[in-house]
Amino acid sequence: MKKTIGIVGVGKIAVDQHLPSIAETGTFELAALVSQRGVTHGSVPTFRTQAEMLAALPDLDAVAICTPPDVRYGYVREALKAGKHVLMEKPPTASLMELDDLEKLAASAGRTLFATWHSQFNTAVDEARARLAGERITRVAVTWKEDVRRWHPGQEWIWQAGGFGVFDPGINAISILTKALPFATFVSSAELLFPANRDTPIAASLTMRAPADAGVESFTAEFDWRQEGEQTWTIDVETASGSRIVLTRGGTCLSVDGVSLVEEADQEYRHIYRRFAALAASSSSDVDAAPLRIVADSFLMGRRRVTDAFDW
Ligand code: NAP
């Protein structure tokens, strides 16, 4: 029998991706929503708090926590303690210690904890990883530039401490790097640009260091939320054997030496729900902290610069 699932936080990503992915993959039966604003979906019941949902539906199997990251820890802990399998949106938590604690809690509860990184769930990223395995890399360039007003309209939490700022999308690029590159990378310096009236950065420039035998010594990753017009989510890699491997459109497209090999839109969350169902079937977890560590290190190493105030 299909496991049942409740969605907690029915904002943009829950509506754009989680609801359609659950319906299309048939991996779970949607049993409830938790929405502070009372958002509804078909005949599924909506509860104002997760606690109300857990009390009303004691047999519920799983939850997907689609809130902003700074409040996720409390919801995940409550769900694991109630014996549910838990899927977490990215970034999984506001801090590394919270993620560590939740991973231990899931292990002791014998339940699944799945910290999703949606950009990793692209065929193009898998293909890039396979092609880069065992290669010496001579150049890497990350350019992640988008218009915050277009993609995050009115989302105040992204500007509050714990909201990640430009690293909310930027961590997607980082999650692709940690999956696809054949070596570990480290933040050696970071410039973080904060609007005068906000607590999180609107732009960031990272210098990443690679191990001595990687080929490339260092490379830059540029993130900017002030990009109007064409939006850019590109990772461009060259290898010592002369290949140029370019991921575009957030990791959904791959070209090799100028030839397009993969173009796959909108499948990330379908793959995520199939993976969650498989994990929940064996009560096993998948918690990869590497992208969050790189963002945390960027804040640790970051030089703060102040720029113009930001208003919607
Ligand atoms: P959003 O539109 O602001 O939705 C978040 C929802 O969480 C809110 O609408 C609210 O829904 C609920 N919520 C519960 N506690 C909250 C609190 N303390 N403050 C604000 N909202 C609270 O944000 P989103 O874009 O869906 O992003 C949610 C998560 O998904 C983030 O971690 C983000 O990085 C990730 N994500 C977003 C996208 C995207 O395209 N937007 C893509 C991939 C991943 P209710 O009123 O229904 O409770």
Side-chain angles (χ1 to χ4, degrees):
M1 208 170 74
K2 242 188 246 181
K3 287 188 165 45
T4 53
I5 191 166
I7 293 186
V8 180
V10 195
K12 185 172 188 320
I13 198 62
V15 171
D16 287 358
Q17 294 293 345
H18 290 259
L19 289 172
S21 297
I22 291 166
E24 279 178 39
T25 58
T27 42
F28 289 86
E29 181 191 334
L30 183 68
L33 301 179
V34 174
S35 174
Q36 297 172 336
R37 290 165 302 145
V39 176
T40 58
H41 181 72
S43 57
V44 171
T46 295
F47 299 88
R48 291 289 171 165
T49 67
Q50 180 175 251
E52 284 173 24
M53 174 183 74
L54 296 173
L57 303 176
D59 295 333
L60 186 75
D61 296 304
V63 294
I65 310 294
C66 302
T67 64
D70 63 331
V71 292
R72 194 138 39 224
Y73 173 83
Y75 288 114
V76 176
R77 187 177 161 79
E78 183 179 52
L80 285 172
K81 282 189 155 290
K84 311 305 168 197
H85 302 295
V86 181
L87 179 157
M88 306 162 83
E89 251 302 345
K90 50 63 54 173
T93 44
S95 77
L96 286 161
M97 284 303 289
E98 286 179 344
L99 186 58
D100 191 45
D101 189 50
L102 292 176
E103 193 175 6
K104 288 185 185 128
L105 183 61
S108 67
R111 290 293 178 271
T112 294
L113 182 63
F114 183 19
T116 63
W117 298 105
H118 64 85
S119 299
Q120 291 185 345
F121 283 82
N122 279 300
T123 306
V125 174
D126 288 332
E127 182 66 28
R129 176 190 165 96
R131 285 172 179 268
L132 293 173
E135 289 277 357
R136 272 174 71 79
I137 310 286
T138 51
R139 191 179 77 90
V140 181
V142 179
T143 313
W144 225 253
K145 296 186 176 179
E146 63 175 52
D147 182 352
V148 65
R149 291 184 174 87
R150 182 161 154 198
W151 302 103
H152 299 270
Q155 292 182 354
E156 282 298 324
W157 59 266
I158 55 175
W159 296 115
Q160 291 158 7
F164 287 75
V166 75
F167 287 112
D168 178 74
I171 204 167
N172 298 333
I174 293 168
S175 74
I176 295 174
L177 286 182
T178 58
K179 181 169 185 185
L181 288 182
F183 47 77
T185 56
F186 313 96
V187 180
S188 62
S189 66
E191 290 260 333
L192 308 178
L193 202 58
F194 289 77
N197 58 342
R198 302 289 182 170
D199 291 334
T200 58
I202 195 165
S205 175
L206 309 185
T207 303
M208 308 291 296
R209 190 164 46 82
D213 57 353
V216 66
E217 275 175 27
S218 69
F219 62 90
T220 57
E222 304 288 344
F223 308 93
D224 204 321
W225 247 347
R226 298 165 298 179
Q227 176 91 352
E228 292 176 4
E230 193 186 341
Q231 308 287 285
T232 310
W233 301 282
T234 299
I235 298 176
D236 190 344
V237 182
E238 284 175 29
T239 69
S241 57
S243 262
R244 185 164 177 201
I245 294 174
V246 184
L247 286 161
T248 52
R249 297 191 195 168
T252 58
C253 301
L254 174 76
S255 72
V256 176
D257 302 332
V259 178
S260 170
L261 288 192
V262 183
E263 283 193 27
E264 182 191 69
D266 239 15
Q267 288 303 305
E268 298 170 349
Y269 282 82
R270 279 53 170 177
H271 296 317
I272 280 175
Y273 271 94
R274 289 188 195 102
R275 171 97 174 122
F276 186 36
L279 288 168
S282 58
S283 293
S284 43
S285 289
D286 179 351
V287 179
D288 170 15
L292 186 60
R293 278 202 199 102
I294 289 181
V295 170
D297 280 359
S298 302
F299 281 102
L300 272 176
M301 311 283 284
R303 186 172 281 141
R304 181 190 168 92
R305 300 267 185 254
V306 177
T307 186
D308 299 344
F310 176 87
D311 289 300
W312 298 104

